[in-house]
Amino acid sequence: MSDTSKPAQVSTEAVSEKPRKRGIAGHCARFWWAYLIGVIVVVVIVVPVVLLVAVPKIAQSKLDEAELTIDRIVMTNSQPDKFTMTIDSVIRSDGKVHAKIEPFTGHMFVEGDDRPFAAVNFPETTSDAFQIVNVTQETNIENMAAFTDFNKQLLKSTDFKVRVEGDTGIHVKGIDRRYPVTFRKTLTLAGLQTFEGTEVFDSEIAIMGFPDGNNFRGKTRIPNRSVVTFEVGNATFDTFLLGKKVGQTFLDNLILKPGNDNVFPMRSKIDNGAILDIMQKKPYCETGIVPFVLVGTKVVNDGKPLSYFAEALAAGEQTVPIDL
């Protein structure tokens, strides 16, 4: 009997797969705690670092980049230990950081000298791109030697550098915090070049002397190339001719303003013999122009001696050609 082979039956069971969760959502669901820690790290560490380190550095950097220009300095009411000072200045910046700078005291130094010669009380300012800052104040002379040296530099120099420096605080808009910063600027100021270019005109000589006891008088025009106006007062100069002292010259009520319009009466008491002698020598007898040299000896304002001006005027010789 032959066996009949039956075909093998294969049963197939349908298995339904569960849908997979979206990758990112699942990842976030499993590791939410890691993200929470990351947020906490940012809030606890990164934000304070930005507020305590980055913002102050940016604020100081922007303050350093700002430009200070002094348009005018006026020194009036000159007294032995104080004077009234007006400073007109402009601060320029890029204006990108909105902030306020607290009022502060800016100490002024001649570059290379760590002794402050004056202090300026700056008002509250902002970080606007263009800002006018004008200050008028009574200024006490706290370091007489430094202030005297400043006047010497101003008198003799073509130009010289002055540093303004002071600690203050800055408040950045949107951040309720004060950041300490240092205002530090170095400026180049024009000097007086020892009044080079001074002229004497309308001169008169009286051999027998004028009623006031002097024997020479005229008018003098004194150039001021700086931005500084200063009230000097009454100045006395020793007067030299060919290296020999021949008398004294007096200029009263001196207030020197920037420009070439400073005209004052002058008077001198000169040795007549020295004048007669030099007028017999060439080239003076041909040109009639005699080179007098003036050296300051005394400055008095409102009856009080001003040593800081007197020493400055004594530190430099001023040659004044006079047509006799």
Side-chain angles (χ1 to χ4, degrees):
M1 184 175 179
S2 61
D3 294 333
T4 302
S5 58
K6 297 180 180 180
Q9 294 182 354
V10 179
S11 63
T12 301
E13 182 179 357
V15 179
S16 62
E17 294 186 359
K18 294 181 179 181
R20 294 182 179 180
K21 293 183 178 180
R22 295 177 62 185
I24 296 177
H27 179 81
C28 291
R30 292 179 60 191
F31 296 102
W32 62 268
W33 52 271
Y35 287 100
L36 178 60
I37 292 174
V39 171
I40 293 174
V41 168
V42 170
V43 172
V44 174
I45 298 179
V46 177
V47 172
V49 168
V50 170
L51 293 178
L52 296 177
V53 180
V55 173
K57 286 186 176 180
I58 293 172
Q60 183 66 63
S61 175
K62 291 297 182 181
L63 192 61
D64 292 341
E65 292 172 2
E67 178 187 358
L68 173 66
T69 303
I70 291 182
D71 297 324
R72 185 176 70 130
I73 301 175
V74 181
M75 299 165 54
T76 56
N77 193 28
S78 304
Q79 300 180 43
D81 58 352
K82 61 184 177 181
F83 58 94
T84 300
M85 178 167 61
T86 295
I87 294 183
D88 293 348
S89 63
V90 173
I91 298 177
R92 295 177 175 86
S93 69
D94 60 17
K96 293 181 180 179
V97 175
H98 300 289
K100 290 184 178 181
I101 297 93
E102 296 175 352
F104 70 97
T105 299
H107 298 282
M108 302 181 73
F109 308 80
V110 173
E111 186 71 356
D113 190 343
D114 291 331
R115 304 168 303 168
F117 66 83
V120 182
N121 297 320
F122 284 93
E124 179 183 278
T125 55
T126 68
S127 58
D128 292 346
F130 182 90
Q131 188 168 188
I132 295 174
V133 181
N134 297 337
V135 177
T136 297
Q137 65 181 51
E138 184 176 84
T139 303
N140 294 318
I141 302 173
E142 298 180 359
N143 191 317
M144 183 61 68
F147 187 60
T148 300
D149 287 345
F150 162 75
N151 284 289
K152 290 179 180 179
Q153 288 288 339
L154 176 63
L155 176 65
K156 72 179 183 180
S157 301
T158 300
D159 55 60
F160 65 108
K161 294 185 182 298
V162 169
R163 186 173 83 256
V164 182
E165 185 173 329
D167 294 328
T168 183
I170 190 169
H171 299 263
V172 180
K173 186 177 181 180
I175 301 177
D176 187 19
R177 187 181 183 88
R178 175 189 186 273
Y179 296 104
V181 291
T182 298
F183 184 91
R184 186 184 298 110
K185 300 297 173 187
T186 299
L187 313 167
T188 299
L189 298 181
L192 299 169
Q193 299 180 35
T194 321
F195 301 123
E196 182 180 342
T198 296
E199 301 174 336
V200 174
F201 56 97
D202 293 347
S203 57
E204 298 178 78
I205 297 178
I207 299 298
M208 301 303 294
F210 295 109
D212 61 3
N214 299 298
N215 58 358
F216 177 88
R217 64 189 181 190
K219 294 179 181 178
T220 180
R221 179 179 287 108
I222 304 175
N224 180 353
R225 298 176 175 84
S226 75
V227 297
V228 183
T229 295
F230 44 99
E231 180 182 330
V232 178
N234 301 332
T236 301
F237 299 83
D238 280 345
T239 305
F240 296 83
L241 197 55
L242 300 183
K244 180 183 177 181
K245 182 180 175 181
V246 295
Q248 288 187 311
T249 296
F250 310 94
L251 295 173
D252 296 333
N253 302 317
L254 285 180
I255 299 179
L256 293 173
K257 300 177 181 179
N260 200 34
D261 296 327
N262 298 295
V263 177
F264 305 95
M266 65 174 291
R267 51 194 174 86
S268 303
K269 190 172 184 178
I270 305 296
D271 179 11
N272 286 325
I275 298 295
L276 295 174
D277 182 56
I278 197 172
M279 292 307 295
Q280 298 178 44
K281 298 178 180 179
K282 291 184 178 182
Y284 315 113
C285 62
E286 298 173 343
T287 64
I289 298 176
V290 177
F292 287 93
V293 175
L294 306 181
V295 178
T297 58
K298 184 171 65 174
V299 174
V300 176
N301 191 38
D302 196 24
K304 300 173 184 177
L306 304 181
S307 63
Y308 48 85
F309 283 152
E311 291 184 31
L313 291 173
E317 297 182 350
Q318 179 186 355
T319 300
V320 181
I322 298 178
D323 190 351
L324 298 179

